[in-house]
Amino acid sequence: MTLTSAPLNRDPDVTSHWHRRMFGRPGRLFEPLLILAGLLAILFALVYPMVFILLGSFKTQGGLLASATAFTWANYITLFTGGFGRFLVNSLVICVAATALSTLVSVNAAYVFSRFRFRGKGLIFGSVLFGQMFPWIVLVNPLFILLTQAGFTNSYTGMIFCYTAISIPFSVYMLTGYLATVPRELDEAALIDGASRYQVVWRIVFPVLMPGIVSTATYAFMLCWTEYLFALAFLTKPAVQTLPIGLYQLFGDDRADWGAVMAASVVTTIPTLLLFLPLQARLSSGLTAGAVK
Amino acid sequence: MRGDRLFITVMLGPALIILALFYLWPMVENLRVSFTDLTLLRLRVGGQWIGLANYEEFITSPETGRLMMNTFIWLTAISVAVRLLLGLAIALIVNTPLVRHLRLATLARIAILVPWATPPVVAIIIWRWLLEAPNGALNSVLLALGLIDTPIAFLADLRTVWPSVIAIVVWNTVPLIALSLLASLQAVPADLYEAAELDGATRSAKFWHITLPFLKPTIVVLGLTSVFWTFNNFVYVWLATGAGPGTFTNVLATEIYIRSFVDFRLGYGAAIGIVMALIMAVFGYFYFRMIGRRQIEEVL
């Protein structure tokens, strides 16, 4: 990780070498221009759709086609007076609870996988990870039957259960990976000092593991926050529905107010964007752990 | 030690119980339901045992061929290939000395993050606006440039619907590929290139013999992960086209949903679910053989 985040171009020799190479020779201006044009095209394609929505959400009605320029909060006010706040609260409750729960049980499980040898460990670990590859759509059908019979459709509890379960597989994998970098001597020293295993986990390992726990929890939260399928199948009452469902209903409505839909899209995206910015470097390395080396 | 065994059980138990309740039990239930004619309306009564009839119906259905073609080729193979190529192109451009020299790399990284942090539902809504006919942004631009004479209904026209869906999937998912490949590119030892330059290697030779082999492990992991993630995905096709026009873009995931919750035929939906799970199990086996085993050994 130190390698990737280190600014490689700071080396003066390298820079001047490339500088000569890129700008020094006449007639080679074509290539830098091509690269910059490519870069601009890519950046535009990546960012424009969100900018379009963001700007649109602050424009007055008439939405897409109108070129009205006046800045206004009207769309957000319409959105929240129309009851959209309910979806935001539902999403927050369900996702925070599921993230906390899945992170908690995953830290415990990851600690055992990382520190103990026992029969069937590889198989159990592999099975946990296989959960990541499992098609959720296949589970929707039987879970719907089971949750209906148990009375857990249209309930926070049912959704928290589902979101906890979908977050555990990669959380366990990521946390086990982070734990591999925490020296075992730390545990052993504490054990010799008379601490119990539980104390070691909560007093010693947990604080040291904090950066890893934060990345893992962030990713779990993102996964829950953007989940659509289970929410679609198991939540039919607005009182419990989550943001993605509320947003899509707003969009699908024939009398849809485009300004409000844009505002709702922004509200749905802001939390993930804010969480993502500080953590992206660690996330992209964590998700493909094992690839490089 | 007895103490250790108790500790292991207490620590591991909750996670395993939740996973068993969520993955294992429903799958057993799904298998049972797939042999019945259970419908949503008779959920409380239960279905009749009809043996392999659901499976037979699925295999002999004239729709199944296109369903498989759509799922394997269009949704998965093509979109993953486009994603990898585009992700590689983005990473290579951002990693050029020129871009780094102009201090644009950080800006580019932040820009790449934007689609990644966009929830799929939002991505689909935005793109449905952009692709809209007659007044969507893309149609306006193409008309203004004189590239087309009449607006194209991108998500309703049979010629453009799959490329459009793939564009949405790629936009939303290419960032992970680009950022991961960028990280790998920056880890290529500089002396490899220097040595090659001394030997007079051309730029394409350096790319094919140094850069690409170095990136290969990352590309394999990203490719395989993207394959199962995309194959399993429901939301893009469902919200972008509703499996339409007609059933033109129907894939396995949307077929299960339609059969179970639109036609109310839970038994038939369950049978397709078992087929899909089996396909994933086979894929999972090869994934494990190729890289999964190493990924597991690395952290344990």
Side-chain angles (χ1 to χ4, degrees):
Chain A
M1 235 13 259
T2 45
L3 244 186
T4 57
S5 54
L8 295 173
N9 57 342
R10 293 287 156 76
D11 184 350
D13 288 339
V14 175
T15 312
S16 63
H17 167 73
W18 282 109
H19 190 268
R20 271 203 311 279
R21 176 128 186 223
M22 282 300 174
F23 301 107
R25 296 180 213 166
R28 290 213 61 181
L29 208 62
F30 177 68
E31 191 189 303
L33 282 178
L34 197 68
I35 291 175
L36 283 183
L39 183 73
L40 276 179
I42 288 165
L43 295 190
F44 179 79
L46 291 174
V47 175
Y48 172 74
M50 270 323 285
V51 173
F52 162 77
I53 286 281
L54 187 67
L55 293 180
S57 75
F58 290 111
K59 280 185 195 164
T60 42
Q61 272 272 6
L64 286 175
L65 310 174
S67 50
T69 47
F71 176 90
T72 173
W73 286 101
N75 295 320
Y76 290 89
I77 294 165
T78 316
L79 186 69
F80 283 101
T81 49
F84 197 75
R86 185 73 246 172
F87 301 125
L88 184 64
V89 172
N90 292 337
S91 265
L92 278 173
V93 172
I94 292 171
C95 297
V96 169
T99 302
L101 201 58
S102 80
T103 309
L104 182 76
V105 300
S106 299
V107 169
N108 290 350
Y111 182 78
V112 169
F113 283 127
S114 172
R115 297 298 196 256
F116 288 88
R117 291 164 168 276
F118 51 93
R119 208 187 304 160
K121 179 169 110 166
L123 184 69
I124 298 175
F125 191 68
S127 311
V128 169
L129 297 194
F130 184 64
Q132 253 178 302
M133 304 177 65
F134 208 82
W136 294 348
I137 183 72
V138 179
L139 300 169
V140 167
N141 185 324
L143 274 171
F144 179 81
I145 299 172
L146 295 170
L147 288 174
T148 306
Q149 284 164 352
F152 279 133
T153 48
N154 280 316
S155 83
Y156 280 172
T157 318
M159 283 323 284
I160 293 170
F161 164 68
C162 291
Y163 286 180
T164 304
I166 59 173
S167 307
I168 289 176
F170 76 82
S171 296
V172 168
Y173 180 69
M174 278 175 79
L175 288 167
T176 311
Y178 284 117
L179 270 167
T181 67
V182 177
R184 282 155 194 268
E185 289 76 20
L186 205 67
D187 307 27
E188 279 151 21
L191 284 174
I192 290 167
D193 286 348
S196 76
R197 277 281 178 190
Y198 301 96
Q199 283 171 325
V200 169
V201 175
W202 293 110
R203 302 255 175 86
I204 315 281
V205 173
F206 202 84
V208 177
L209 198 60
M210 213 50 195
I213 291 174
V214 171
S215 319
T216 309
T218 305
Y219 195 69
F221 183 84
M222 291 259 316
L223 189 74
C224 303
W225 189 260
T226 59
E227 203 285 326
Y228 186 81
L229 176 57
F230 292 119
L232 175 70
F234 304 151
L235 302 174
T236 51
K237 295 186 180 144
V240 285
Q241 279 172 333
T242 55
L243 270 181
I245 303 294
L247 169 63
Y248 199 78
Q249 280 172 0
L250 204 62
F251 174 77
D253 189 344
D254 288 339
R255 293 156 292 135
D257 169 353
W258 295 132
V261 178
M262 289 187 177
S265 302
V266 173
V267 169
T268 310
T269 309
I270 290 287
T272 54
L273 197 59
L274 290 183
L275 282 173
F276 235 110
L277 279 175
L279 285 167
Q280 52 97 359
R282 238 186 288 156
L283 278 177
S284 54
S285 64
L287 292 176
T288 54
V292 199
K293 271 171 206 176
Chain B
M1 281 193 292
R2 184 165 298 166
D4 279 354
R5 181 168 290 182
L6 178 69
F7 180 78
I8 291 173
T9 312
V10 169
M11 299 293 270
L12 206 49
L16 294 186
I17 289 169
I18 294 172
L19 293 179
L21 280 176
F22 184 79
Y23 291 99
L24 219 54
W25 184 26
M27 275 321 287
V28 173
E29 172 76 4
N30 201 46
L31 188 64
R32 192 183 66 72
V33 170
S34 75
F35 297 119
T36 72
D37 62 358
L38 184 69
T39 63
L40 199 59
L41 303 175
R42 285 190 293 135
L43 194 54
R44 300 207 182 274
V45 191
Q48 292 287 320
W49 177 272
I50 54 169
L52 290 169
N54 286 327
Y55 293 92
E56 229 179 286
E57 184 184 341
F58 179 67
I59 290 165
T60 55
S61 160
E63 282 285 297
T64 302
R66 187 165 70 201
L67 208 54
M68 291 298 180
M69 168 87 183
N70 281 345
T71 314
F72 279 92
I73 306 298
W74 281 109
L75 180 66
T76 309
I78 296 181
S79 92
V80 171
V82 172
R83 218 176 305 175
L84 286 174
L85 286 175
L86 204 61
L88 182 61
I90 295 174
L92 286 172
I93 288 183
V94 174
N95 197 46
T96 50
L98 174 69
V99 173
R100 294 217 306 257
H101 182 78
L102 296 175
R103 302 270 188 277
L104 289 172
T106 311
L107 182 74
R109 290 178 73 99
I110 294 172
I112 295 172
L113 267 182
V114 170
W116 194 11
T118 306
V121 178
V122 176
I124 294 160
I125 288 177
I126 297 175
W127 279 96
R128 279 182 58 175
W129 267 326
L130 295 177
L131 297 173
E132 206 180 35
N135 295 319
L138 192 57
N139 271 312
S140 306
V141 170
L142 292 177
L143 283 170
L145 291 175
L147 291 173
I148 53 172
D149 300 325
T150 46
I152 301 172
F154 287 99
L155 286 167
D157 192 316
L158 297 189
R159 286 165 306 173
T160 54
V161 62
W162 266 121
S164 304
V165 172
I166 289 170
I168 302 175
V169 180
V170 169
W171 182 81
N172 209 187
T173 54
V174 79
L176 172 67
I177 313 265
L179 288 175
S180 305
L181 289 178
L182 187 59
S184 301
L185 273 178
Q186 291 171 343
V188 183
D191 48 348
L192 283 182
Y193 291 121
E194 283 156 22
E197 267 162 40
L198 287 178
D199 290 345
T202 61
R203 241 196 300 176
S204 69
K206 281 189 281 179
F207 175 76
W208 290 106
H209 296 295
I210 300 174
T211 313
L212 213 53
F214 198 86
L215 293 184
K216 201 182 140 203
T218 312
I219 294 177
V220 170
V221 172
L222 290 170
L224 292 176
T225 321
S226 301
V227 163
F228 68 71
W229 184 87
T230 313
F231 181 87
N232 291 341
N233 192 279
F234 161 82
V235 73
Y236 290 107
V237 169
W238 184 246
L239 294 188
T241 68
T247 56
F248 188 77
T249 54
N250 204 6
V251 290
L252 276 174
T254 48
E255 172 75 354
I256 293 174
Y257 188 83
I258 292 170
R259 294 304 183 179
S260 301
F261 296 102
V262 178
D263 296 351
F264 294 170
R265 295 180 62 199
L266 291 175
Y268 188 59
I272 307 173
I274 294 293
V275 173
M276 196 171 171
L278 285 177
I279 294 171
M280 256 305 111
V282 171
F283 182 81
Y285 173 76
F286 286 110
Y287 180 87
F288 177 77
R289 289 285 301 274
M290 285 174 74
I291 51 170
R293 192 204 309 257
R294 194 157 48 91
Q295 283 181 316
I296 290 174
E297 279 163 3
E298 211 153 84
V299 299
L300 281 186

